[in-house]
């Protein structure tokens, strides 16, 4: 055991001295593997961070929540021309579903709004995503109030001139002023701010912090609805522990009857489930991971070839020394480990530097973008593992060739 320990120690020492004596070559070798490890770990960490951000944003929604609308939120076999001829989901549809479909925990009607300007005295904030939606959205999305309150069912049904602001929107408009009770202008009309939502952070698409919410019936007063009007959707949250398959079947059966569809006619609407959407997101994340591995793998491959090339040069330069070592009794495995350690040390150092650079990038991203960039322990260990593996693969052939040199021929060649 002590013999092998001494073998490893001396081989490691020889490898370190060789790297110190060839600083420029060591630096260039490190650069290649560093770029490769940095590319892979950075891409994987970015994709993991995006995945976590999306899942965190959707975590407030029940996975069984459904969006009933003319649009499909994922791939569909229904031709585009047919989808474009689907009727809009209107407020009357929402009222029918609310009255006639059982086992609904919460339901809301949302109008797909656009960006609007919000004015308060001399301050104007442009491009605010105002969402016209009924009061049920508060329970569906598990919203939290920072100040004030959300609008009531009565205010929603009557289309009251009230508004609830996202955290960042309130800060942009009012700064340090308490916004509750203040009058703002949007859509060219006056609205009273009655609530501010708690800060959520960045997520999929527009952050809720940058949004504002008004009753859907308020917008329906002055914007055109109907078949050619602004599109909408019904958001449905079933009660807990309900049989989702049976619930969806009842929902479709009643809605088809309401729309007058015959038994042989296809649906002219889509029921988009959050669970299906998360599966779609998982597919995209998996594709991004695969693309990241493919692109970054080329960088890592170049780094590996660089180390292998340097190791072959090192073997050739030290042929005379190898011959002397073997003539003095050095075993083949001593020579083998000497060069193998050199390759692995190079690769692992490059991996450590690459991971450190990813960590620095994550700090900058978290500070500058308000986006939680996650560098997981799995990715860190993956970086170490990959760099070690590349070092072994890149160094094994040069190391074997060095260990098999004939001592007499090696001394003669090196002279």
């Amino acid at each position: 055991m002590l013999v092998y320990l001494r073998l490893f120690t001396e081989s490691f020492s020889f490898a370190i001295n060789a790297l110190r004596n060839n600083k420029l070559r060591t630096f260039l070798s490190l650069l290649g593997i560093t770029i490769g490890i940095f590319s892979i770990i950075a891409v994987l960490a970015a994709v993991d961070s995006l995945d976590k951000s999306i899942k965190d944003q959707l975590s407030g929604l029940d996975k069984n929540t459904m969006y009933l609308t003319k649009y499909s939120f994922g791939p569909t076999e229904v031709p585009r021309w047919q989808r474009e001829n689907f009727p809009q989901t209107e407020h009357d549809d929402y009222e029918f579903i609310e009255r006639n479909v059982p086992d609904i925990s919460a339901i809301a009607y949302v109008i797909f709004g656009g960006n609007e300007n919000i004015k308060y005295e001399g301050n104007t904030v442009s491009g605010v995503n105002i969402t016209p939606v009924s009061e049920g959205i508060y329970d569906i999305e598990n919203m939290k109030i920072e100040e004030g309150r959300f609008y009531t069912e009565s205010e929603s049904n009557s289309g009251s001139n009230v508004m609830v602001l996202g955290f960042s929107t309130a800060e942009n408009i009012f700064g340090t002023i308490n916004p509750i009770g203040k009058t703002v202008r949007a859509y060219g009309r006056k609205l009273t701010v009655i609530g501010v939502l708690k800060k959520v952070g960045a997520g999929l698409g527009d952050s809720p912090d940058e949004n504002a919410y008004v009753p859907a019936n308020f917008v329906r007063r002055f914007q055109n609805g109907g078949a050619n009007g602004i599109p909408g959707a019904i958001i449905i949250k079933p009660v807990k522990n309900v049989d989702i398959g049976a619930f969806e079947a009842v929902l479709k059966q009643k809605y088809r009857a309401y729309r007058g569809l015959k038994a042989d006619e296809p649906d002219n609407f889509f029921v988009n489930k959050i669970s299906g959407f998360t599966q779609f997101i998982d597919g995209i994340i998996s594709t991004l991971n695969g693309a990241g591995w493919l692109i970054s793998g080329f960088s890592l491959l170049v780094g590996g070839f660089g180390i292998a090339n340097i190791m072959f040069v090192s073997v050739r330069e030290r042929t005379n020394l190898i011959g002397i070592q073997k003539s003095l009794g050095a075993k083949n495995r001593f020579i083998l480990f000497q060069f193998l350690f050199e390759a692995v040390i190079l690769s692992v150092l490059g991996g450590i530097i690459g991971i450190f650079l990813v960590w620095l990038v994550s700090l900058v991203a978290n500070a500058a973008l308000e986006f939680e960039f996650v560098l997981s322990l799995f990715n860190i260990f993956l970086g170490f593992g990959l760099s070690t593996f590349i070092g072994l693969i890149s160094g094994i052939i040069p190391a074997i060739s060095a260990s098999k040199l004939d001592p007499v021929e090696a001394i003669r060649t090196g002279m």
Side-chain angles (χ1 to χ4, degrees):
M1 184 67 183
L2 291 176
V3 174
Y4 284 102
L5 181 61
R6 184 178 178 184
L7 173 65
F8 275 98
T9 304
E10 291 184 359
S11 299
F12 185 81
S13 177
F14 268 92
I16 292 294
N17 288 332
L19 295 175
R20 286 177 178 172
N21 294 333
N22 298 278
K23 293 182 175 62
L24 180 60
R25 190 167 68 195
T26 299
F27 170 76
L28 293 175
S29 301
L30 283 174
L31 190 61
I33 202 68
T34 296
I35 293 173
I37 293 295
F38 172 82
S39 301
I40 286 182
I41 303 305
V43 169
L44 294 179
V47 173
D48 286 348
S49 303
L50 178 62
D51 185 37
K52 183 179 182 298
S53 175
I54 294 171
K55 296 295 175 57
D56 286 346
Q57 186 172 343
L58 293 177
S59 63
L61 288 174
D62 189 305
K63 293 294 175 64
N64 295 323
T65 299
M66 303 175 181
Y67 283 72
L68 184 63
T69 179
K70 67 175 287 186
Y71 303 102
S72 175
F73 292 174
T76 175
E77 296 180 357
V78 180
R80 181 176 177 180
W81 66 266
Q82 190 173 345
R83 283 180 277 135
E84 289 178 347
N85 290 323
F86 284 177
Q88 298 282 12
T89 305
E90 302 181 39
H91 193 269
D92 291 343
D93 301 341
Y94 156 73
E95 292 179 334
F96 170 82
I97 297 295
E98 185 179 29
R99 288 193 307 264
N100 293 279
V101 177
D103 298 323
I104 292 178
S105 173
I107 186 169
Y109 178 71
V110 61
I111 295 173
F112 298 130
N115 294 336
E116 299 286 340
N117 297 337
I118 300 179
K119 298 181 181 180
Y120 173 70
E121 295 183 348
N123 187 24
T124 301
V125 177
S126 58
V128 179
N129 182 19
I130 301 180
T131 303
V133 62
S134 59
E135 87 291 342
I137 196 66
Y138 184 79
D139 293 324
I140 292 174
E141 294 193 357
N142 292 323
M143 294 178 174
K144 305 295 181 184
I145 290 291
E146 178 74 19
E147 296 180 272
R149 61 180 178 83
F150 207 79
Y151 41 83
T152 64
E153 181 179 0
S154 174
E155 290 170 326
S156 178
N157 291 338
S158 63
S160 298
N161 295 36
V162 292
M163 176 180 284
V164 176
L165 302 175
F167 187 87
S168 298
T169 302
E171 279 192 337
N172 293 336
I173 298 173
F174 296 99
T176 58
I177 301 173
N178 186 354
I180 305 303
K182 300 294 189 295
T183 300
V184 297
R185 290 188 67 87
Y187 302 103
R189 291 163 171 78
K190 293 182 179 180
L191 298 102
T192 301
V193 176
I194 61 171
V196 176
L197 299 177
K198 284 188 176 181
K199 188 172 183 178
V200 175
L204 176 64
D206 293 327
S207 168
D209 297 335
E210 308 289 340
N211 294 351
Y213 299 86
V214 297
N217 283 345
F218 165 74
V219 175
R220 290 179 64 238
R221 292 184 197 166
F222 52 85
Q223 288 195 355
N224 180 36
N228 299 317
I230 51 178
I234 302 169
I235 311 175
I236 304 166
K237 179 181 178 181
V239 297
K240 288 185 178 180
N241 302 321
V242 71
D243 185 328
I244 295 302
F247 178 86
E248 185 177 354
V250 171
L251 172 64
K252 287 185 175 181
Q253 183 268 324
K254 289 184 176 291
Y255 196 44
R256 284 176 57 86
Y258 175 75
R259 287 196 163 182
L261 295 174
K262 298 178 181 179
D264 58 343
E265 291 181 313
D267 295 339
N268 57 3
F269 57 88
F270 290 99
V271 178
N272 302 283
K273 294 191 288 292
I274 292 296
S275 57
F277 181 65
T278 55
Q279 290 172 5
F280 177 65
I281 292 296
D282 288 340
I284 294 176
I285 294 298
S286 178
T287 302
L288 289 176
N289 269 324
W293 272 100
L294 181 63
I295 296 171
S296 304
F298 285 109
S299 299
L300 200 58
L301 191 63
V302 171
F305 280 131
I307 290 178
N309 183 52
I310 291 299
M311 294 311 302
F312 276 116
V313 172
S314 182
V315 170
R316 185 168 183 177
E317 285 181 349
R318 288 148 58 187
T319 300
N320 186 45
L321 178 60
I322 294 169
I324 294 173
Q325 288 176 332
K326 297 191 77 172
S327 67
L328 293 175
K331 302 294 184 182
N332 286 353
R333 56 178 176 270
F334 175 80
I335 305 298
L336 175 73
F337 283 126
Q338 180 181 326
F339 285 93
L340 196 58
F341 276 148
E342 187 174 336
V344 171
I345 291 168
L346 267 174
S347 189
V348 170
L349 281 176
I352 291 173
I353 296 171
I355 293 170
F356 178 71
L357 291 176
V358 175
W359 178 72
L360 287 181
V361 169
S362 71
L363 291 181
V364 174
N366 288 335
L369 303 177
E370 293 187 359
F371 178 79
E372 188 180 359
F373 193 94
V374 180
L375 178 58
S376 66
L377 284 175
F378 173 79
N379 284 333
I380 292 175
F381 286 124
L382 179 64
F384 281 117
L386 279 174
S387 58
T388 304
F389 177 74
I390 292 298
L392 286 171
I393 295 300
S394 303
I396 190 66
I397 296 178
I400 290 174
S401 66
S403 68
K404 289 184 176 181
L405 287 174
D406 180 83
V408 176
E409 291 297 326
I411 294 173
R412 182 183 300 166
T413 303
M415 293 178 63

